[in-house]
Amino acid sequence: MDTVLITGANRGIGFELTRQYLNAGAQVIAACRDPNKADALQQLTSQARPPSVEQLDVTKQDSVDALASKLDGTPLDVVINNAGIMGGNRQSLDTMDYDAWADTFSVNTIAPFRVSTAFLPNLKMADRPRIITISSQMGSLNRQSTGAYIYRSSKAAVNKVMQVMALELKNYGIIVCPVHPGWVRTDMGGPTADISPQESAKGLFDLISELTIKDTGKFFSWNGEEHDW
Ligand SMILES: NC(=O)c1ccc[n+]([C@@H]2O[C@H](COP(=O)([O-])OP(=O)(O)OC[C@H]3O[C@@H](n4cnc5c(N)ncnc54)[C@H](OP(=O)(O)O)[C@@H]3O)[C@@H](O)[C@H]2O)c1
């Protein structure tokens, strides 16, 4: 069964992915900023098949390097870049928080590259390695909509980063796909969103299980359909 590294695994979609991968028998490295405060994750450690809970701030090179050296020699089948932020309330024509814009790029756009490249040696050891980045339809250039400049631009940019990585890593057999997880009832998505974290994670789990090298460089939705760039 797969060994899966999930960032931002302490809540929301990342936590639910962790739970579903564990239930399917996978070995899960559940990475989060503060393991001591990750109560839901810590509860899973008493299960028959516990996750390995690891500290990881995806924006900090030291933190990424520390986990990479801890996992040195461990094959990784799947790396899921899930950690993400919205960028706050001030992201309109009237008011813009420029510091938040830079911070959001650091988490949503740069970190998926930082994390993916740090674990390339581990991915290269797996039979069907996959890099999955939880992006958003809000970054789709073909879907016209207003506002949320910070979040939209960070997700549009990470889609491009993943498209380039897909081309460069194809020769190594590494599948790279950005995915839209749906509008999900998490802290980020809010209580009125379309689907539950369970539905989203189940769809993503099924999609990720089926991916082959023919799919690399495609943008998918949580339900398995290809998404417009
Ligand atoms: N919910 C939706 O409707 C929706 C729709 C489209 C895309 N997405 C994307 O799906 C992903 C997960 O979203 P969600 O709804 O589950 O959000 P969430 O409930 O707000 O959870 C976000 C996760 O990211 C982690 N995180 C933030 N900054 C981090 C950092 N610097 N280092 C490590 N972890 C960090 C958070 O950790 P802390 O607890 O430490 O803050 C938390 O675990 C995100 O990439 C988001 O953009 C969500």
Side-chain angles (χ1 to χ4, degrees):
M1 193 51 193
D2 286 347
T3 301
V4 183
L5 168 64
I6 302 172
T7 69
N10 56 307
R11 60 191 169 99
I13 297 167
F15 176 73
E16 191 51 34
L17 281 167
T18 300
R19 236 180 39 80
Q20 293 197 22
Y21 270 103
L22 287 172
N23 287 345
Q27 204 172 330
V28 181
I29 297 146
C32 59
R33 274 199 281 204
D34 191 347
N36 292 324
K37 290 188 187 153
D39 295 338
L41 263 188
Q42 294 296 353
Q43 280 178 19
L44 296 181
T45 57
S46 59
Q47 286 192 158
R49 190 181 293 277
S52 166
V53 180
E54 301 291 348
Q55 198 282 331
L56 183 68
D57 183 328
V58 296
T59 64
K60 305 268 191 304
Q61 191 63 46
D62 286 357
S63 176
V64 175
D65 288 345
L67 185 57
S69 70
K70 195 166 178 183
L71 296 182
D72 186 27
T74 303
L76 286 178
D77 300 279
V78 186
V79 170
I80 304 182
N81 294 302
N82 164 75
I85 56 176
M86 274 300 293
N89 296 326
R90 294 178 51 218
Q91 44 179 312
S92 67
L93 283 180
D94 299 332
T95 174
M96 179 53 66
D97 183 339
Y98 292 98
D99 291 337
W101 205 337
D103 289 345
T104 305
F105 258 72
S106 179
V107 179
N108 291 3
T109 311
I110 299 170
F113 181 89
R114 192 192 298 281
V115 170
S116 301
T117 51
F119 294 99
L120 277 182
N122 309 74
L123 287 157
K124 286 176 180 171
M125 296 169 74
D127 288 339
R128 187 168 52 99
R130 284 147 283 169
I131 295 171
I132 306 300
T133 293
I134 311 293
S135 178
S136 171
Q137 66 179 12
M138 288 179 72
S140 166
L141 296 184
N142 282 313
R143 192 174 168 272
Q144 305 212 7
S145 202
T146 59
Y149 286 86
I150 292 178
Y151 187 71
R152 288 185 198 285
S153 60
S154 72
K155 294 297 191 181
V158 80
N159 281 357
K160 191 68 199 177
V161 170
M162 290 299 133
Q163 190 188 54
V164 177
M165 286 183 76
L167 282 171
E168 294 192 17
L169 294 174
K170 195 170 182 180
N171 283 345
Y172 296 98
I174 300 177
I175 302 155
V176 183
C177 293
V179 297
H180 167 59
W183 183 26
V184 191
R185 291 189 290 274
T186 61
D187 292 338
M188 183 185 286
T192 60
D194 288 338
I195 58 173
S196 66
Q198 290 77 8
E199 289 172 277
S200 173
K202 172 74 169 71
L204 292 170
F205 176 91
D206 290 344
L207 167 71
I208 295 166
S209 304
E210 297 292 314
L211 291 175
T212 72
I213 197 69
K214 286 188 186 148
D215 300 310
T216 197
K218 293 179 183 167
F219 179 27
F220 284 103
S221 194
W222 67 282
N223 59 7
E225 288 173 8
E226 240 186 288
H227 200 293
D228 255 6
W229 291 98

